[in-house]
Amino acid sequence: MTATFLSNCLRKPLSLVVLGLIILFFPSYSQSQGINVILDTDIDSDVDDVGALAMLHTLADHGRVEIMGVIVTSDDPFAPGCTSAINQYFGRPDIPIGVEPGIALNNHSRYTRQISQEFPAAISRYAEAEDAVQVYRRLLANAQDSSVVLISIGHLTNVARLLDSSPDSYSDLSGVELVAKKVKLWSCMGGHFPEGKEANFYRPDPASTVHSVQNWPGRVVFAGWEIGQEIITGGLFLKNYLPEDSPLWRAYELYNNFSGRQSWDQASILYAVSPEKAYWELEERGQVVVAEDGSNKWEPGDTSNQAYLKVNHAPEELAKIIDALMVGIYSDGF
Ligand SMILES: [Ca+2]
C-alpha cells in the first residue's frame, strides 16, 4: 500500500475502518504472474460493468492482470466512449476496444453518455471503435498459447462472432481453433444455476448464448445470477472514498446515487483472478443446457469442460473485497 493511500485513509475515518477489514480478511498470498485478460462487457444498462472494469484496472496497477482489450457488446452509442474514458482515467488510453459494427444504436444507459462526454477519451464515437472480431483475433493470435483469460460480463453476441470467425491476416486458424489454442479460461457471468433465466443469456441475443456455450472448445466457469445477487457494493463507501471527478464515482451517482448495487459482474472477475481462493465452490459434474429462449439448466453428469460457482463465503465479506478493489485499494493478501 502506498503512502498516498494511507494518508487518504487517515483523512477519511470510514476508509480506515475498511482498511482494517481488508487486512483482517486478506490472508498472506504469494504474488502470481499477472494474467492476460480480455473483458467482454455490455457496459450500458447496469452499473456493475463499470465497477468490474475499475476492479481490473486496480488489479492491473498491481501486476495481477494485463488488460489486453475490452470488447463492448452493446447497442448503446456511448458505450465504447464510456469505456475509453474509464480506461484513460486509469492511465490506459491505448487498450483496444472492439464493438459489433453496423448495428442499430439506442442510448438507453443512465451513465454512458455523461461519462463519455464529461471525461477525456480516445474514442468519442461508436464508429471509431474497431470490429470486435478483429480485436479478438489480433489479441489472441499475438498471445502465447493457453495464456488468455476471457471474462464476459454481458451477452455473448461477440463471443459467438469470434467462434464463427474464419482465418484472416492475423491467424490461419478458425475462431474455435484460435480459442482452443490461446484461451485457458472463460469466466462467464451468465445463467442462473442450477436452473433459471438470466439476462445475459436471454437478452437480447439468446441464439448467441446457445452457440457460444455449445461450441466453446475449452474450460468455462459460470458465475450465475445467484452469485452476485447477494453481494452489494457501490454504496456509501464508494461515495465517500472516491473523488467526485472519478468516472466510477460519477457512474454510480448517475445510476442510483450510491444506493448500493448487486455485483454480478465483479464476481466473475474475482473468480478469474483468484480461482485458487475458497470464495466459492465449483460444481464440475455435468454441463449446462441453454434453451432457445435463453433459459438454462444444469444437467448433472460426468465432469465436462464446464463448471459453475456455488456460494461458499459470506456475501458481506466478498462485498468488502470487491468494494476495495473497485476504489483502488489493493492488498497482496487478495
Ligand atoms: Ca454486465
Side-chain angles (χ1 to χ4, degrees), residues 41-43 45-46 48-49 153-155 189 200 265:
T41 170
D42 60 342
I43 189 164
S45 59
D46 212 308
D48 58 337
D49 297 81
I153 56 175
H155 51 278
M189 192 282 123
N200 282 354
D265 291 351

Side-chain angles (χ1 to χ4, degrees), residues 42 106 165 195 253 268:
D42 60 342
N106 169 37
S165 64
E195 182 174 0
E253 181 202 31
S268 64

Side-chain angles (χ1 to χ4, degrees), residues 249-301:
W249 192 97
R250 182 72 170 128
Y252 273 83
E253 181 202 31
L254 288 165
Y255 185 77
N256 67 4
N257 200 26
F258 311 103
S259 299
R261 187 59 181 157
Q262 279 85 353
S263 307
W264 299 286
D265 291 351
Q266 297 95 323
S268 64
I269 289 184
L270 195 57
Y271 172 73
V273 299
S274 286
E276 74 286 1
K277 291 289 205 182
Y279 298 141
W280 300 282
E281 293 179 5
L282 285 182
E283 176 56 76
E284 309 210 50
R285 297 179 304 279
Q287 59 184 353
V288 70
V289 174
V290 182
E292 284 186 8
D293 67 354
S295 60
N296 72 276
K297 181 177 183 179
W298 186 261
E299 288 202 342

Side-chain angles (χ1 to χ4, degrees), residues 163 175-181 183 186 212-220 305:
L163 292 171
V176 171
E177 292 168 339
L178 194 55
V179 167
K181 190 163 195 254
V183 180
W186 173 21
S212 299
V213 169
Q214 287 183 347
N215 292 283
W216 188 261
R219 170 83 164 164
V220 51
N305 65 323

